[in-house]
Amino acid sequence: MKNYFKFTLLLLVSIFLISCNRNDDDGVPSFPEGSTESVNLWVQDSMKRYYYWADQMPAKPDYHLPVKDFFKSLLYSLDRFSFAVNTQDPSSYPRSVRNMYGFDYAVIQLAGGNVVTTVKLVMKNSPAFNSGLQRGMMITKINGKVITAANAEELTSAIKDQTVIELTVGNWKNGAVADEKNLTIYYGYSSEQPVESRIFEKNGKKTGYLYIYDFPDGMTPSLSQKFAAFKAAGVQELIIDLRYNYGGSVSSAAALCSMIPSGITSSSPFIIYKGNKNGGEVKRTFSQQIAYDPNAVDFNTLRANALGLSKVYVLTSQSTASASEIVINNLKPYIQVVQVGDLTLGKDMAGFVVEDKRKPKKISWQLHPVIYKVFNANGQGSYSNGIPPQITAGEYTTLPLLPLGDQEETLISSALNNIYSKSAEKNASERSVKVLFQSDTPSAAIGK
């Protein structure tokens, strides 16, 4: 993924841990510089220094394994997120439908037992977007093969292993797929996604809505402008849509959080990082964390646009991860957070890139290990099983999926119904929809 957790502590990552001059006297084998084994020694030394579960690593790993396999052999059994890539080998990077083509899908089983595949996300100016794919379309064939209950997972999962795909898609009308057509989508780059905003109004009460795809560094000017517009319009309630947000910059997440509640000051604590015996514990205020992004708008400027709310609604799904979950957890000491949607992924951890910083670089491998567990100002965290919503709402209970930002869309309407004092519950027939599987859960998302 393009937005990894880089934490800006790159001074710590200037590692000169090549173990080529070791000898058997210290109990560690010696290997020629440049060999696979010597690279594995560097990987092991790096992980001993930074890895959150360093004390769980095997004492005698197999140094003769390929580097990627060696790295995996060091990981704690419950670690879903650490990964390593060879910067000289593009095939070593995590592959996903979202990153390759710019869309996501979900395979769902309807109340009658029928299985359908719906497009849930299309990134702006992505290959999928430019081909004409839209959120809410139904995929019926992949490369000419009809999707069935038996082959749906196999066919859809294989998309990420190709460089061009042909999708047969249609629109959902009266309980069936109509107006089918073929779309050819080529592998390609997807540009940075904009923050989208709306203002809903009913009975004189204005509710601001923000859809945030991810948290890259440098997004604080855009966030500041959105909140300035909300404040000028007299927004009294706020919905933040993080349902597909895999995370990214903790600094950008802190900037967002700083503009929502009242009472935040430059010295207000925002986050606690807890590492291994080498990393220890690191505490940061809102202003300190925001400042780790060199392109961020300063804390006081952000606070000038703060809405001063006592409650915020956050829309979530199982694709809500990392910095997005930090937004939910770390706002709780300061404001009532009403979570609407589904259980989040459960990435209560963070890390930064570990690589050889010598010039010239001698090792091309780049490590993305879990380095910290994260907690809020009250010391609350430990949500590795996900953060449950207060209002459970299934995104796929009503088909076709409406555009993000549409006030009738399921998650948005559930939040608005709560805001305007109507029941957010769905009837029993709607709850019978079952999600079989979805594309690209962010198993490799490392946030920053």
Side-chain angles (χ1 to χ4, degrees), residues 15 17-19 22 35-51 54 57 61 63 65-75 83-85 354-355 363-369:
I15 307 170
L17 297 175
I18 306 302
S19 304
R22 287 174 162 171
S35 65
T36 295
E37 291 82 2
S38 70
V39 175
N40 284 340
L41 283 172
W42 171 82
V43 170
Q44 183 187 40
D45 284 343
S46 302
M47 294 289 279
K48 282 182 177 178
R49 177 174 293 193
Y50 297 110
Y51 189 43
M57 288 167 49
Y63 297 101
L65 288 172
V67 176
K68 198 162 192 174
D69 293 336
F70 179 81
F71 176 81
K72 290 180 180 179
S73 77
L74 303 181
L75 300 182
F83 66 100
V85 298
V354 178
E355 58 187 351
I363 293 178
S364 60
W365 283 87
Q366 194 180 73
L367 310 182
H368 298 259

Side-chain angles (χ1 to χ4, degrees), residues 297-373:
V297 175
D298 69 88
F299 174 82
N300 291 330
T301 301
L302 294 172
R303 282 299 295 168
N305 294 324
L307 298 179
L309 303 179
S310 59
K311 179 190 298 184
V312 63
Y313 292 79
V314 182
L315 310 185
T316 65
S317 76
Q318 293 180 14
S319 293
T320 304
S322 194
S324 293
E325 291 172 297
I326 288 175
V327 169
I328 298 167
N329 187 59
N330 291 34
L331 272 175
K332 287 180 178 178
Y334 301 101
I335 192 173
Q336 181 185 357
V337 179
V338 181
Q339 186 180 330
V340 180
D342 203 351
L343 183 75
T344 65
L345 180 69
K347 186 176 179 293
D348 58 342
M349 52 198 69
F352 50 80
V353 178
V354 178
E355 58 187 351
D356 181 6
K357 301 296 287 187
R358 293 173 297 179
K359 296 181 180 180
K361 181 180 294 186
K362 295 185 177 182
I363 293 178
S364 60
W365 283 87
Q366 194 180 73
L367 310 182
H368 298 259
V370 169
I371 296 175
Y372 296 107
K373 287 278 192 172

Side-chain angles (χ1 to χ4, degrees), residues 174-206:
N174 301 317
V177 179
D179 309 322
E180 287 186 289
K181 61 182 178 180
N182 293 329
L183 300 177
T184 301
I185 309 176
Y186 294 88
Y187 164 85
Y189 174 74
S190 299
S191 61
E192 188 170 300
Q193 299 299 291
V195 176
E196 299 183 18
S197 62
R198 303 280 190 280
I199 295 178
F200 307 115
E201 184 174 1
K202 184 174 182 179
N203 300 329
K205 179 184 284 188
K206 293 182 178 180

Side-chain angles (χ1 to χ4, degrees), residues 146-369:
V146 176
I147 301 175
T148 66
N151 69 14
E153 184 170 7
E154 179 183 358
L155 282 182
T156 53
S157 297
I159 292 175
K160 65 179 182 295
D161 299 321
Q162 304 168 54
T163 56
V164 59
I165 54 173
E166 183 174 278
L167 302 181
T168 302
V169 300
N171 298 315
W172 189 252
K173 294 181 178 180
N174 301 317
V177 179
D179 309 322
E180 287 186 289
K181 61 182 178 180
N182 293 329
L183 300 177
T184 301
I185 309 176
Y186 294 88
Y187 164 85
Y189 174 74
S190 299
S191 61
E192 188 170 300
Q193 299 299 291
V195 176
E196 299 183 18
S197 62
R198 303 280 190 280
I199 295 178
F200 307 115
E201 184 174 1
K202 184 174 182 179
N203 300 329
K205 179 184 284 188
K206 293 182 178 180
T207 300
Y209 166 85
L210 285 178
Y211 168 72
I212 304 176
Y213 170 79
D214 63 355
F215 286 109
D217 279 330
M219 75 178 301
T220 56
S222 174
L223 289 174
S224 184
Q225 291 172 4
K226 296 294 185 182
F227 274 82
F230 283 164
K231 188 172 184 178
V235 162
Q236 301 158 279
E237 303 278 358
L238 180 64
I239 300 172
I240 303 174
D241 195 338
L242 302 178
R243 74 182 79 186
Y244 303 136
N245 192 314
Y246 287 171
S249 168
V250 178
S251 296
S252 293
L256 171 66
C257 293
S258 73
M259 292 185 286
I260 300 172
S262 59
I264 297 292
T265 69
S266 61
S267 60
S268 297
F270 175 67
I271 192 166
I272 303 170
Y273 299 94
K274 294 182 180 181
N276 63 21
K277 64 181 181 181
N278 299 316
E281 182 175 287
V282 179
K283 297 181 179 181
R284 291 211 176 93
T285 65
F286 280 84
S287 59
Q288 287 172 334
Q289 185 62 64
I290 292 167
Y292 265 83
D293 176 1
N295 299 312
V297 175
D298 69 88
F299 174 82
N300 291 330
T301 301
L302 294 172
R303 282 299 295 168
N305 294 324
L307 298 179
L309 303 179
S310 59
K311 179 190 298 184
V312 63
Y313 292 79
V314 182
L315 310 185
T316 65
S317 76
Q318 293 180 14
S319 293
T320 304
S322 194
S324 293
E325 291 172 297
I326 288 175
V327 169
I328 298 167
N329 187 59
N330 291 34
L331 272 175
K332 287 180 178 178
Y334 301 101
I335 192 173
Q336 181 185 357
V337 179
V338 181
Q339 186 180 330
V340 180
D342 203 351
L343 183 75
T344 65
L345 180 69
K347 186 176 179 293
D348 58 342
M349 52 198 69
F352 50 80
V353 178
V354 178
E355 58 187 351
D356 181 6
K357 301 296 287 187
R358 293 173 297 179
K359 296 181 180 180
K361 181 180 294 186
K362 295 185 177 182
I363 293 178
S364 60
W365 283 87
Q366 194 180 73
L367 310 182
H368 298 259

